[in-house]
Amino acid sequence: MKRKAKQGNFGKNILMTMLITGTVFAGSASALAAEKDVESYTLDSIVVTAQRYATEELDTPAAVEVFTQEQLVATGGTNLQEALKFGTGLIYHAQGPRGTSQGTMTSKIVIRGVEKGTLVLIDGVPLNQSGRYNLDDIPVETVERVEIIRGGGSVLYGSEATGGVINIITKGKRTNSVRTAFGNYGMQSHAFNTQAGKLGISYSYDKTGAVDNISDPSGGRPEGMYYNIIRGEHNTANLRYDFNDAMYLSYTYGENNAHYVYRYSKQQDANGKDIDYKNAIHTTKNNNAQLHYDKDDWKAVLSYVRREQETRSKTATKKSGNYIPGVTTSDSKGYDDKSLGMDIQKKWELGKNIGLLGFNFQRDTCDYKEVDKTNMAQNRDYERNMYSFYGQYNYELNKLSNLIVSARETWTGSTTAGQNYNKFTPEIEYIHKLDDDTSAYAKAGQSFMMPTFSQIYGSGNIIGNATLEPQHGNHFEIGLKKNTNTHMWRLAVFNYKINDSIESKWKDNYTEVEYTNEDIKNTGIELTCAIDMGQGWKANWGASYSNPKKLVTINDAGTITEGSWRNYYGKLQLNGGLNYNKGKWSGAINANYLGERTRDNDAQASMKPQLFTDLNIVYKPTKNEKVYLNLENIFDRRDIVSTSTSTFYNLGRNVMVGYEFNF
């Protein structure tokens, strides 16, 4: 079946967006570029790839934020899920501390309030599979920089970029180094990097030990159940071989294991302790292979991405309303997601103008396997081909102004049970240089996201919904960027409405989930500034305010009227950082506050504000040595890091001490 997006007043809104461009004074998030020293910013020109080819950030009509590897390390995060939580307009969403995943319940970085709308790319290759991307599996050791592009990016990058794009650029040549670190809560973090001619090798290991009561029993399923971590481990190995300046091959293998014990607070054992309701081990194995070619304005990549996820659990047997301690039933279930992809693009320099054409193919398969409590095996296989043609034309109106028109046509084929879709997404952008250091822009475009296999066909406790529409939205943004010798000012004002957003709902028994289409919308403003204060001091701050809402499609037990808009996520976000780098000492302190939060459930209860803090101090006794101390959650807050009915908490105040040696 073919489905078409609702066009609405898209054309009229494009014109309105263009007319009000001049009312904006400064745009986008602080863009931070690479330096050799740790934890420092530079206010020099930044080159980004938001347009699918290199442009200066000041000349890019989008809200872009760039984190270098050094800046990611300075946040104290050992994986990208943790390191990106201090970004402007980014909401950290997790089912426990340090981004540890629980099988299919994985952590997310929510951009501008769109939960299912973050497209994660590794060197331009989509990482998303079955709606998951596992940023907690990516160590900062393997990353050169991360570009965050806020706002709908489906026209150039494809499905799932309805909130924005996280583009991860991995390291080319490695610095020979070894690092080790230990902390409380049983934390460990170790890494090794080496370069042998054309071959670069990186390996990292990260562990979190036992942490009890990471969730609130009142939101458990069944009510009274809460989560405890026994251990969480991540292993990642990355290889890259450069054949020449135009071609390289990379391969990454990652494996994470998380052991959880779920306890039931409404029943105690003979020793007066809450009984063990479930004992579960979640294992995920990731394979990512890419062959890249980049020469003479041609770019091509062949990719193979595979994620194997398995959950093995033992659940207490229930009799006469009570669980019987020690009497359990076993089950296992998991996914084997595979994506084979190809992307080819060509750029043309047409005098003062630039043209771009590209083709993308991706074949997705998913093998779902389950052995239930009665030892009955269920195996289901799904498949889908996705094709896209995309293009862009950057036309110079005059020496100060450019008009950029982009479009993508995407369709699916060979889909299980014939659920095929067809989407056309256009975008128009305008950028004007007020002077060499100031630019204003306006943009209007559309985005889309295809339903996943489990959402359409069901799996585990998910009931399939074959009538799901693709998620599609209209996006509008205006902004202006201003650089001075010591400041980078960015302001963005945005509005979007996403029709048929794919949202999950508990069934009446609260044990099964079904996905439905609901509309969401948001209007907001983001202001950021990066400052060079001299004498080794740098600073950055950001403020954003928005009003994300979701349209209720059914009457939820009389608590919310059908057809009304309800609040969704948080509204006010304040973030900032202070950095020092001089001589043998360097350090960084970062904070991110999220307030005016609302639960995404029927009760619509307000939530306490969230405040993330981190202090990182580095001392270099010699040129090749580095000793560091990282203190996270300085005020020892017990913050809620989820927004759904279940309440999950972050890790308490924690300290990690490490040593690094370069050779």
Side-chain angles (χ1 to χ4, degrees):
M1 69 189 81
K2 293 187 177 181
R3 316 203 185 236
K4 295 183 178 180
K6 303 172 186 176
Q7 300 299 324
N9 295 321
F10 182 71
K12 183 176 70 176
N13 288 332
I14 290 178
L15 178 60
M16 182 62 70
T17 301
M18 296 302 181
L19 289 175
I20 61 178
T21 305
T23 65
V24 185
F25 299 102
S28 144
S30 58
L32 311 172
E35 290 185 348
K36 292 183 179 180
D37 295 326
V38 185
E39 302 84 58
S40 62
Y41 293 3
T42 176
L43 304 187
D44 299 331
S45 297
I46 312 303
V47 176
V48 297
T49 57
Q51 299 298 105
R52 269 190 170 264
Y53 51 85
T55 58
E56 290 194 8
E57 187 274 339
L58 187 66
D59 299 329
T60 302
V64 183
E65 184 171 13
V66 180
F67 291 94
T68 69
Q69 200 265 344
E70 291 80 8
Q71 294 155 0
L72 295 169
V73 170
T75 66
T78 57
N79 62 66
L80 283 188
Q81 177 69 25
E82 288 290 289
L84 294 178
K85 65 185 179 185
F86 296 104
T88 301
L90 310 182
I91 299 176
Y92 177 98
H93 178 86
Q95 280 78 31
R98 304 191 75 205
T100 304
S101 62
Q102 299 183 50
T104 58
M105 297 172 60
T106 59
S107 300
K108 306 180 184 71
I109 294 292
V110 179
I111 304 177
R112 289 182 173 173
V114 186
E115 179 185 347
K116 296 174 181 65
T118 300
L119 175 62
V120 177
L121 306 173
I122 293 185
D123 296 324
V125 174
L127 186 64
N128 302 51
Q129 288 181 313
S130 295
R132 298 180 289 276
Y133 42 81
N134 289 85
L135 284 174
D136 54 301
D137 287 340
I138 304 176
V140 297
E141 303 290 336
T142 62
V143 177
E144 179 180 312
R145 71 181 189 276
V146 178
E147 298 177 359
I148 310 292
I149 307 163
R150 298 195 299 275
S154 293
V155 176
L156 289 181
Y157 290 103
S159 176
E160 301 200 46
T162 51
V165 177
I166 298 177
N167 188 20
I168 303 163
I169 294 92
T170 60
K171 285 183 178 180
K173 291 186 177 181
R174 321 297 164 91
T175 300
N176 295 326
S177 65
V178 60
R179 178 183 59 78
T180 185
F182 294 88
N184 57 339
Y185 291 100
M187 294 190 302
Q188 299 180 37
S189 182
H190 314 290
F192 171 79
N193 300 275
T194 188
Q195 186 74 32
K198 295 182 177 181
L199 177 64
I201 303 174
S202 296
Y203 170 76
S204 66
Y205 171 80
D206 191 84
K207 178 183 178 181
T208 302
V211 185
D212 290 337
N213 301 98
I214 67 168
S215 68
D216 189 335
S218 63
R221 294 287 182 265
E223 185 178 353
M225 186 264 288
Y226 59 95
Y227 295 74
N228 304 271
I229 294 177
I230 304 301
R231 74 178 190 282
E233 295 179 304
H234 293 81
N235 285 275
T236 304
N238 172 262
L239 308 174
R240 170 167 163 164
Y241 185 82
D242 289 84
F243 298 98
N244 48 50
D245 292 340
M247 181 179 292
Y248 72 88
L249 174 69
S250 70
Y251 171 72
T252 301
Y253 175 79
E255 181 174 333
N256 73 59
N257 294 278
H259 185 183
Y260 285 81
V261 170
Y262 310 155
R263 294 198 172 94
Y264 188 54
S265 62
K266 295 189 175 183
Q267 185 180 339
Q268 286 70 44
D269 60 19
N271 298 318
K273 295 182 179 180
D274 296 343
I275 68 164
D276 289 353
Y277 164 73
K278 181 185 289 188
N279 197 310
I281 296 178
H282 307 284
T283 301
T284 303
K285 299 177 182 179
N286 299 299
N287 290 269
N288 190 317
Q290 304 179 10
L291 178 63
H292 286 258
Y293 177 83
D294 186 351
K295 187 177 182 180
D296 299 332
D297 293 325
W298 281 95
K299 287 186 178 181
V301 59
L302 295 175
S303 62
Y304 175 75
V305 181
R306 181 179 184 180
R307 179 182 293 112
E308 301 172 84
Q309 186 276 317
E310 182 184 21
T311 295
R312 303 184 306 277
S313 60
K314 292 184 177 181
T315 306
T317 302
K318 194 172 186 179
K319 184 177 181 180
S320 301
N322 289 319
Y323 293 98
I324 306 173
V327 180
T328 62
T329 55
S330 301
D331 64 87
S332 68
K333 55 187 173 182
Y335 299 84
D336 187 354
D337 288 294
K338 302 172 188 176
S339 296
L340 180 64
M342 174 182 66
D343 192 283
I344 301 173
Q345 72 171 54
K346 167 66 174 173
K347 187 184 74 160
W348 288 271
E349 301 282 348
L350 306 171
K352 297 179 181 180
N353 307 319
I354 297 175
L356 177 75
L357 287 176
F359 171 75
N360 179 273
F361 167 77
Q362 183 170 312
R363 175 169 176 78
D364 295 328
T365 63
C366 177
D367 300 333
Y368 174 73
K369 302 177 182 179
E370 179 178 5
V371 179
D372 63 21
K373 299 172 184 178
T374 62
N375 288 321
M376 292 293 293
Q378 300 181 40
N379 297 328
R380 282 168 279 179
D381 299 333
Y382 310 116
E383 62 181 26
R384 176 169 67 192
N385 293 338
M386 191 178 302
Y387 311 85
S388 291
F389 282 104
Y390 58 88
Q392 182 182 90
Y393 190 71
N394 188 331
Y395 178 71
E396 184 181 289
L397 298 172
N398 52 54
K399 291 183 178 180
L400 299 177
S401 302
N402 283 64
L403 184 68
I404 306 169
V405 179
S406 308
R408 174 181 287 258
E409 173 66 30
T410 301
W411 70 98
T412 62
S414 302
T415 303
T416 303
Q419 268 81 10
N420 285 319
Y421 304 98
N422 186 339
K423 302 297 294 182
F424 176 74
T425 45
E427 184 174 70
I428 185 168
E429 301 165 298
Y430 172 78
I431 186 165
H432 178 74
K433 293 293 289 290
L434 301 177
D435 55 48
D436 290 341
D437 299 310
T438 311
S439 63
Y441 69 89
K443 60 187 301 182
Q446 294 188 331
S447 68
F448 70 98
M449 184 179 80
M450 298 295 186
T452 67
F453 291 131
S454 60
Q455 292 166 353
I456 299 173
Y457 307 116
S459 63
N461 69 333
I462 299 174
I463 299 175
N465 183 355
T467 65
L468 276 179
E469 296 275 357
Q471 178 173 302
H472 57 94
N474 296 329
H475 302 259
F476 308 93
E477 184 175 330
I478 53 177
L480 188 148
K481 309 181 180 187
K482 175 68 177 178
N483 291 351
T484 70
N485 290 333
T486 58
H487 289 67
M488 292 177 64
W489 293 93
R490 301 291 184 266
L491 176 73
V493 180
F494 66 89
N495 170 269
Y496 67 75
K497 182 179 180 184
I498 297 176
N499 298 314
D500 296 325
S501 176
I502 301 171
E503 304 292 333
S504 61
K505 283 186 174 294
W506 285 105
K507 301 295 285 183
D508 293 339
N509 56 13
Y510 283 98
T511 60
E512 294 178 316
V513 172
E514 183 178 26
Y515 284 87
T516 62
N517 288 121
E518 296 183 330
D519 295 349
I520 63 174
K521 64 180 181 180
N522 196 3
T523 300
I525 182 171
E526 300 161 344
L527 175 64
T528 66
C529 184
I531 310 165
D532 185 347
M533 299 182 292
Q535 299 298 313
W537 290 95
K538 309 274 178 124
N540 70 288
W541 60 265
S544 63
Y545 190 84
S546 62
N547 189 28
K549 288 183 175 294
K550 178 190 292 187
L551 183 65
V552 178
T553 57
I554 61 174
N555 187 306
D556 292 326
T559 57
I560 302 177
T561 304
E562 179 180 353
S564 63
W565 289 92
R566 70 182 188 189
N567 293 326
Y568 191 54
Y569 280 110
K571 295 183 178 182
L572 175 64
Q573 188 179 53
L574 305 171
N575 64 288
L578 181 64
N579 297 258
Y580 175 78
N581 190 347
K582 193 172 185 181
K584 294 186 175 183
W585 289 94
S586 59
I589 185 169
N590 289 280
N592 194 325
Y593 170 89
L594 180 65
E596 299 190 34
R597 303 174 70 196
T598 305
R599 284 194 181 279
D600 178 26
N601 60 15
D602 301 345
Q604 284 287 274
S606 61
M607 302 171 64
K608 60 178 285 190
Q610 181 185 85
L611 177 63
F612 296 138
T613 53
D614 188 272
L615 173 66
N616 186 269
I617 300 174
V618 178
Y619 175 67
K620 303 174 185 176
T622 68
K623 180 181 179 181
N624 295 324
E625 292 180 287
K626 187 185 302 180
V627 180
Y628 66 90
L629 178 146
N630 193 81
L631 175 62
E632 185 189 32
N633 194 1
I634 299 171
F635 303 109
D636 197 23
R637 292 173 58 91
R638 189 167 170 79
D639 280 336
I640 301 171
V641 292
S642 57
T643 59
S644 58
T645 303
S646 299
T647 296
F648 291 91
Y649 299 105
N650 64 332
L651 199 61
R653 183 187 295 122
N654 58 92
V655 179
M656 185 171 282
V657 178
Y659 172 79
E660 181 177 321
F661 179 73
N662 297 328
F663 57 93

